[in-house]
Amino acid sequence: QIDLGHAWAGCLGQCQSRFVRWPKYIRLQRQKAILLQRLKVPPPINQFSQTLDRQTATQLFRLMDRYRPESKQEKKARLRQRAEERAKGKPDAPTKRPPMVRSGINTVTALIEQKKAQMVVIAHDVDPLEIVLFLPALCRKMGVPYCIVKNKARLGRVVHRKTATCLAFTQVNPEDRSALNKLVEAVKTNFNDRVDEIRRHWGGGVM
């Protein structure tokens, strides 16, 4: 004997899932994804869909984690210790700034223009994209290695923020020099040296 009540309820549940009133931001995400598939996307925008491979990205984030800026709590503890030493009568000796990744579009742009950046990491999902659209061209012009990685939130975690548009290495400790050089070589091969291919490659147009 078939329980028609349960069968009808199950059918209703399946049918209704198709007519969920999704939140507006989810609808916009889905519409944008479909538009980017359908419309022809020019090369400067399409290049942000070609990101660094997972293995190299893992090595990159492992290196960046060693050069995270100090958090508010760490800064507070450092300043408190310095104040305590001054209170004991010791001479005030400002600590030298350790090497760390620099974040923020204005800071990174200035570092690229001054040729102080050793490598630039750009998020692929910045919104609006115009914020970082010029960065790959600027890096190529100044001869600075750059790469595009997935997830602005993942970049943000490195610098204790919700999201970050881009990060830059300025200097690293001697023991990490070889690791950075390997990453720079991989990044140059995948991004800087493929400029002609990137310029020709349009995206979208899938009907």
Side-chain angles (χ1 to χ4, degrees):
Q1 191 178 356
I2 299 169
D3 188 350
L4 292 175
H6 280 289
W8 180 241
C11 177
L12 268 180
Q14 286 177 348
C15 298
Q16 284 173 346
S17 69
R18 192 172 166 78
F19 302 106
V20 172
R21 185 176 173 83
W22 294 101
K24 192 172 183 181
Y25 78 96
I26 290 179
R27 278 180 284 159
L28 286 173
Q29 279 175 355
R30 291 176 178 178
Q31 287 164 2
K32 183 182 174 184
I34 290 168
L35 276 177
L36 287 174
Q37 277 185 327
R38 300 285 184 266
L39 301 177
K40 288 195 78 178
V41 181
I45 296 173
N46 187 54
Q47 67 181 329
F48 286 90
S49 64
Q50 300 161 28
T51 55
L52 197 63
D53 63 277
R54 181 179 286 186
Q55 188 180 353
T56 315
T58 305
Q59 294 169 359
L60 174 63
F61 278 97
R62 197 175 293 146
L63 182 63
M64 283 199 291
D65 282 338
R66 292 183 203 163
Y67 295 94
R68 297 179 79 181
E70 63 181 359
S71 64
K72 287 181 181 178
Q73 291 82 5
E74 290 166 347
K75 185 177 181 180
K76 197 173 177 181
R78 178 172 59 83
L79 292 175
R80 181 179 285 133
Q81 185 183 357
R82 189 172 155 191
E84 285 169 0
E85 286 176 358
R86 281 178 67 187
K88 289 173 186 173
K90 292 182 182 178
D92 186 25
T95 51
K96 190 182 177 186
R97 188 178 190 175
M100 58 180 70
V101 288
R102 308 295 298 278
S103 63
I105 187 69
N106 291 336
T107 305
V108 171
T109 304
L111 289 169
I112 296 168
E113 287 170 345
Q114 295 160 12
K115 295 191 176 180
K116 288 183 181 177
Q118 294 184 5
M119 188 166 83
V120 174
V121 184
I122 308 166
H124 88 298
D125 56 347
V126 178
D127 188 37
L129 192 59
E130 287 84 351
I131 294 172
V132 293
L133 195 59
F134 66 93
L135 267 186
L138 182 65
C139 288
R140 287 194 294 265
K141 185 184 176 186
M142 291 296 179
V144 175
Y146 76 95
C147 64
I148 297 166
V149 296
K150 284 190 175 180
N151 210 329
K152 59 188 176 184
R154 195 177 177 193
L155 281 186
R157 277 197 295 273
V158 175
V159 290
H160 309 291
R161 293 170 184 265
K162 283 183 182 176
T163 58
T165 55
C166 53
L167 304 179
F169 282 102
T170 50
Q171 59 188 75
V172 294
N173 295 326
E175 62 268 21
D176 292 322
R177 172 65 54 192
S178 62
L180 182 65
N181 287 342
K182 281 180 186 173
L183 283 169
V184 165
E185 286 301 314
V187 158
K188 275 187 174 177
T189 307
N190 287 334
F191 292 92
N192 291 64
D193 298 343
R194 288 179 55 233
V195 56
D196 293 326
E197 185 187 335
I198 289 168
R199 277 186 184 147
R200 287 196 301 267
H201 199 269
W202 284 66
V206 179
M207 299 311 263

